[in-house]
Amino acid sequence: MIKFIVVEDNKTIQEKIKKLLVKISISLNQDYEAKYFEKYNKELQQEINDQTQRKVYIMDIELENSISGIEVAQKIRENDWDSEIIFVTSHDKMFETVHRNILEVFDFIEKFLDMDKRLEEDILKIINKKYDKKILKINGNNVELELHMKNILYIEKEDKKCIIHACDNEFKTSLTLEKLLELLDERFVRTHKSCIANKDRMVERNYSKGYFILDTGEKVELLSKKYKKEIEK
Amino acid sequence: MILEIIILTLLQISMIVAVEAFSDQKIKNIKLLIISIIIYDLLYYYLLKYIPAELNTIVSILYTTILIKILLKLNNKNLLFYMIIIWILGIMVDIGTMLAMNFTNVTSRITDLNKDFFKSISTIIMITFYFVCAHSKYIKSKILKLKRFTQKINISYYVFIALLIIYFTLGAVCLNEMNNIESIIFILFIAITCFIIFIIFIVQQFQIISLKESVHLLDKNSEFYIKLIDEYRILKHNLIGNLNGVKTVGNKKTKILIDDLIKEYSSILKLPKNFKEIPTGISGLIYEKIYSTNNKELKIKIENKLKHNIIEVLTARKYNLICEALSVTLDNALEATIKSKEKIIYLEFIEDEENIYFKIINTFTGNIDIDKLGTKNYTSKKYGHGLGLFSILIKKDITLATSIKDNKFINVVTVQK
C-alpha cells in the first residue's frame, strides 16, 4: 500500500488531488493511504520522521507559514532518500533544475497547466517504478563515497587499484574486487578475473569475442567464458 | 541530614535545568540523570560523614560539572562558561540573601537550633532563582550575548590581567621584605613573566588589528561588487534599449547584427535573486569566482539561513579562515561543475547555537581517487597543485567534511562561533 502526503494550502487544489488519488486507486485496483496538510506542523514532522514506509509527497512550494515546501523537502531529505517528492508550483525553470537534482525531486508540475494529467502520469510512474535505492558506501581517507548500485556500470582492476565506472564518473579505490563484490548485491557478477559488471546494465554479451555492451553503448572487452555459468544464472 | 540531602539534590537538578535552558540542549537520557542523582545523594551522605565540609563543595561542583557534560554533551569551553555563569548567579543570590537577612535583622535571631533552617533558606532561594532563570527568555538572551562576547576576547588578555593583579598583590605584600633576596628574585620573576606576556599580548593585538583591517577591506569589496552588479544590470538594460532603438532604423544586415548582440547581452551570467542576502564579504568572494567563470549554462542556487551577521559572530581570524576555505572549495566546485552535464552549484549557509556551516554542493563529471582526495599534491584538475583541500583539512579552527553522492560533490565547511 502506497502512502501519499499532500501539503497544499489551496483547498481547491487539495480537492483536485484527492479526487485524482481516488481515480488512480480505482483504475489500478490498489489501496492507498493519504494524509492532507495545509502547512508545515508537528503532525507533518511526525510523518517525515516515520520512515517505516516509503511515501509520495505532493507539495506546494509557497505554504501558509514561513516554512516553504522546499524547506519541508530539505527536512525530508535529512534522513529519507527513499520517498518521492512532487512539487505543484509555478516557479521558474532554473529553480526547478537545481532542486530536482540536489533534493532529488521527482517532478515540478505547474498548477494551472494540465496539472491533473501530469500528476496522474507521475503517480503511475512512481507506482510502476522499480524501487531500487541500494547504495554502495566506501570511505576514503578524507571523503565518503555513496553510489546508487543501479548507477554503477562495471568495476575493473588496474594495477593495485580498482576503478568503479559509474554513469558519469569514475572512482579509484584501494579496495579489492573481492571486497567490492561482498559489498555489492546479486546483480553484480564477475565477468573476468579483473572485472565485475552490473548484469542489469548489460545489453549484449559475446563470450567468443570476449566483450559485453552496456546500455550506455560502451563496449567493455572484459568477458571471460570461465564465468559464463555464473553470469547466465 | 535528610533535609540537607533533599535540598542539595534539588539544587543539583535546578543547576542542570538552568544549563540545559541556557545551552539550548535537551537531556535525552532521563534514566542516567535519575541514577546519577541517586549516586550523588549516597556519595554526599558519606562525604558528610567522613570528609571535611570544604572538600564536599569541591566534590559536588566537580560531580555536577561532569554530569552536565555527559548529559548535555557540551564542549569544554561552553561547559566552563555555563558553570561560571551558574556559579556567579549562585553567589549573587547568596550575597543578596545575606544582605536581606542583615537588613531585616534576621541574623540576630539565628541560634544553634535553627541554624540549619536559615542556611537552607538561601539554598531554596537559589533553587527558585535557577528555575526562574531557566524559564526567562530575557535572561537566556542576555547570557547568549555574554557568551558571544566572551568568545571574542583573546585568552592572552585574561592571562596578562591575571598576572598583573598577582604582581601588584605580591608587590604590596612583599613590600616590607624587599631586603630579602628570595622575595626580590620572586618579584623579578613575576615582573619578567608579565613583560613577556605583555609582548605576546601586543603582538596578538597587532595581528587582530591587521585581520580586522582585511575583513573591513573585504566588506568594502563586497559593497563595491553589489554596486557593480546593479550598475551592470542598468547598463545592460539601457544598452539593449538603445540597440532596439537603432534596430528600428537599420537595414536588414544591421538588424541581424543587433539581434545577435541583444541575444549575447541578454544571456550573460545569471545571478540568484537573493544574491544581496548573502553575508557581506562572502557575497563579494562568490561574485568574483562566478564572474571570472562567466559560464552562461551555470545554474546557481543560494539558500541563506544565517540569523546573524557573520562578521559580528566570528572573530576576524575565523572569518578569514572561512573566506580561504570557501575560496578553495568554490574554485574546485566551479571547475568540476563546468565539465558536468547539469552544471549546478548549490550553496547553503546554516547556523546553529555553536557553529556556522557553509554547504557547497556541485555536480561533477570526472575521475576521482577516493583514497588520495584531500591529500597533499593530489589534484583532479588539469593544472591544479593539489594543495587547496589539503590546506583546509590541516587547519585547526575549521573542519571540512567531503562526501560524494553519485554525481554530486558535497563539501561542508564548519566553523565554531
Side-chain angles (χ1 to χ4, degrees), chain B residues 71-133:
Chain B
L71 287 170
L72 296 172
K73 289 181 179 141
L74 296 174
N75 63 31
N76 293 339
K77 209 173 162 186
N78 285 344
L79 182 73
L80 185 72
F81 172 79
Y82 290 122
M83 287 317 288
I84 290 172
I85 289 291
I86 289 287
W87 182 67
I88 292 170
L89 288 175
I91 285 180
M92 273 165 57
V93 174
D94 224 8
I95 294 170
T97 320
M98 289 295 182
L99 285 173
M101 279 167 119
N102 270 328
F103 277 122
T104 48
N105 235 350
V106 175
T107 35
S108 59
R109 275 173 253 160
I110 298 174
T111 60
D112 277 347
L113 283 170
N114 60 16
K115 202 172 79 184
D116 281 350
F117 170 74
F118 279 105
K119 248 173 83 183
S120 306
I121 285 180
S122 88
T123 319
I124 292 166
I125 294 171
M126 211 182 280
I127 294 165
T128 322
F129 185 66
Y130 283 143
F131 278 119
V132 170
C133 286

